[in-house]
Tab-separated table of all heavy atoms in Angstrom:
chain	number	residue	atom	x	y	z
V	410	LEU	N	-1.752	-20.548	2.312
V	410	LEU	CA	-0.658	-20.698	3.292
V	410	LEU	C	0.608	-21.099	2.523
V	410	LEU	O	0.550	-22.035	1.717
V	410	LEU	CB	-1.023	-21.706	4.328
V	410	LEU	CG	-2.105	-21.349	5.324
V	410	LEU	CD1	-3.451	-21.889	4.802
V	410	LEU	CD2	-1.875	-21.857	6.709
V	411	TYR	N	1.623	-20.363	2.731
V	411	TYR	CA	2.938	-20.625	2.094
V	411	TYR	C	4.116	-20.456	3.059
V	411	TYR	O	3.983	-19.672	4.011
V	411	TYR	CB	3.139	-19.668	0.931
V	411	TYR	CG	2.337	-20.039	-0.364
V	411	TYR	CD1	1.154	-19.423	-0.612
V	411	TYR	CD2	2.898	-20.944	-1.324
V	411	TYR	CE1	0.406	-19.749	-1.760
V	411	TYR	CE2	2.213	-21.270	-2.397
V	411	TYR	CZ	0.956	-20.647	-2.646
V	411	TYR	OH	0.247	-20.972	-3.797
V	412	LYS	N	5.159	-21.129	2.773
V	412	LYS	CA	6.411	-20.868	3.471
V	412	LYS	C	7.187	-19.851	2.645
V	412	LYS	O	7.151	-19.865	1.397
V	412	LYS	CB	7.243	-22.140	3.553
V	412	LYS	CG	8.588	-22.047	4.293
V	412	LYS	CD	9.298	-23.324	4.330
V	412	LYS	CE	10.554	-23.219	5.144
V	412	LYS	NZ	11.545	-22.224	4.522
V	413	SER	N	7.839	-18.952	3.315
V	413	SER	CA	8.603	-17.926	2.565
V	413	SER	C	9.801	-17.454	3.357
V	413	SER	O	9.692	-16.807	4.380
V	413	SER	CB	7.642	-16.726	2.283
V	413	SER	OG	8.387	-15.656	1.578
V	414	ASP	N	10.968	-17.782	2.818
V	414	ASP	CA	12.218	-17.285	3.420
V	414	ASP	C	12.334	-15.770	3.163
V	414	ASP	O	12.955	-15.052	4.005
V	414	ASP	CB	13.390	-17.975	2.848
V	414	ASP	CG	13.405	-19.481	3.174
V	414	ASP	OD1	12.915	-19.813	4.235
V	414	ASP	OD2	13.970	-20.246	2.369
V	415	PHE	N	11.756	-15.266	2.132
V	415	PHE	CA	11.851	-13.866	1.783
V	415	PHE	C	10.981	-13.007	2.684
V	415	PHE	O	11.463	-12.036	3.263
V	415	PHE	CB	11.441	-13.607	0.315
V	415	PHE	CG	11.441	-12.189	-0.157
V	415	PHE	CD1	12.611	-11.527	-0.366
V	415	PHE	CD2	10.248	-11.460	-0.199
V	415	PHE	CE1	12.600	-10.182	-0.768
V	415	PHE	CE2	10.245	-10.131	-0.517
V	415	PHE	CZ	11.421	-9.512	-0.836
V	416	PHE	N	9.750	-13.398	2.826
V	416	PHE	CA	8.772	-12.580	3.649
V	416	PHE	C	8.882	-12.805	5.105
V	416	PHE	O	8.570	-11.984	5.925
V	416	PHE	CB	7.318	-12.827	3.202
V	416	PHE	CG	6.981	-12.174	1.887
V	416	PHE	CD1	6.730	-12.922	0.800
V	416	PHE	CD2	6.963	-10.797	1.776
V	416	PHE	CE1	6.401	-12.385	-0.444
V	416	PHE	CE2	6.615	-10.193	0.554
V	416	PHE	CZ	6.342	-10.945	-0.575
V	417	GLY	N	9.333	-14.040	5.516
V	417	GLY	CA	9.382	-14.403	6.927
V	417	GLY	C	8.017	-14.446	7.497
V	417	GLY	O	7.042	-14.926	6.900
V	418	ALA	N	7.835	-13.980	8.738
V	418	ALA	CA	6.513	-13.937	9.415
V	418	ALA	C	5.744	-12.792	8.847
V	418	ALA	O	5.955	-11.624	9.206
V	418	ALA	CB	6.718	-13.817	10.939
V	419	ASN	N	4.801	-13.107	7.961
V	419	ASN	CA	4.104	-12.039	7.250
V	419	ASN	C	2.732	-12.472	6.769
V	419	ASN	O	2.413	-13.675	6.761
V	419	ASN	CB	4.937	-11.603	6.055
V	419	ASN	CG	4.847	-10.096	5.749
V	419	ASN	OD1	3.756	-9.549	5.910
V	419	ASN	ND2	5.942	-9.523	5.327
V	420	ALA	N	1.964	-11.520	6.356
V	420	ALA	CA	0.669	-11.769	5.690
V	420	ALA	C	0.409	-10.567	4.808
V	420	ALA	O	0.816	-9.450	5.105
V	420	ALA	CB	-0.450	-11.931	6.758
V	421	PHE	N	-0.254	-10.765	3.697
V	421	PHE	CA	-0.575	-9.686	2.763
V	421	PHE	C	-1.782	-10.118	1.944
V	421	PHE	O	-2.202	-11.251	1.866
V	421	PHE	CB	0.617	-9.390	1.873
V	421	PHE	CG	1.091	-10.541	1.010
V	421	PHE	CD1	0.559	-10.827	-0.186
V	421	PHE	CD2	2.171	-11.329	1.527
V	421	PHE	CE1	0.996	-11.907	-0.935
V	421	PHE	CE2	2.615	-12.400	0.808
V	421	PHE	CZ	2.050	-12.685	-0.462
V	422	ALA	N	-2.382	-9.079	1.344
V	422	ALA	CA	-3.610	-9.267	0.529
V	422	ALA	C	-3.382	-8.563	-0.787
V	422	ALA	O	-2.757	-7.526	-0.908
V	422	ALA	CB	-4.807	-8.743	1.239
V	423	LEU	N	-3.970	-9.111	-1.828
V	423	LEU	CA	-3.919	-8.561	-3.189
V	423	LEU	C	-5.260	-8.028	-3.602
V	423	LEU	O	-6.289	-8.336	-2.952
V	423	LEU	CB	-3.465	-9.664	-4.185
V	423	LEU	CG	-2.084	-10.265	-3.822
V	423	LEU	CD1	-1.752	-11.385	-4.828
V	423	LEU	CD2	-1.001	-9.235	-3.809
V	424	PRO	N	-5.366	-7.177	-4.622
V	424	PRO	CA	-6.598	-6.502	-4.965
V	424	PRO	C	-7.804	-7.393	-5.238
V	424	PRO	O	-8.916	-6.985	-5.051
V	424	PRO	CB	-6.209	-5.664	-6.184
V	424	PRO	CG	-4.722	-5.468	-6.115
V	424	PRO	CD	-4.203	-6.706	-5.465
V	425	ASP	N	-7.470	-8.600	-5.690
V	425	ASP	CA	-8.614	-9.497	-6.094
V	425	ASP	C	-9.161	-10.277	-4.923
V	425	ASP	O	-9.993	-11.173	-5.092
V	425	ASP	CB	-8.214	-10.460	-7.205
V	425	ASP	CG	-7.019	-11.369	-6.764
V	425	ASP	OD1	-6.355	-11.034	-5.780
V	425	ASP	OD2	-6.835	-12.359	-7.392
V	426	GLY	N	-8.686	-10.024	-3.724
V	426	GLY	CA	-9.130	-10.757	-2.557
V	426	GLY	C	-8.255	-11.937	-2.125
V	426	GLY	O	-8.611	-12.670	-1.231
V	427	THR	N	-7.187	-12.171	-2.852
V	427	THR	CA	-6.213	-13.254	-2.502
V	427	THR	C	-5.511	-12.816	-1.223
V	427	THR	O	-4.919	-11.699	-1.170
V	427	THR	CB	-5.226	-13.522	-3.608
V	427	THR	OG1	-5.951	-13.947	-4.712
V	427	THR	CG2	-4.171	-14.558	-3.177
Side-chain angles (χ1 to χ4, degrees):
L410 292 92
Y411 282 95
K412 181 180 184 297
S413 178
D414 296 331
F415 176 79
F416 286 113
N419 215 323
F421 57 87
L423 302 177
D425 63 340
T427 298

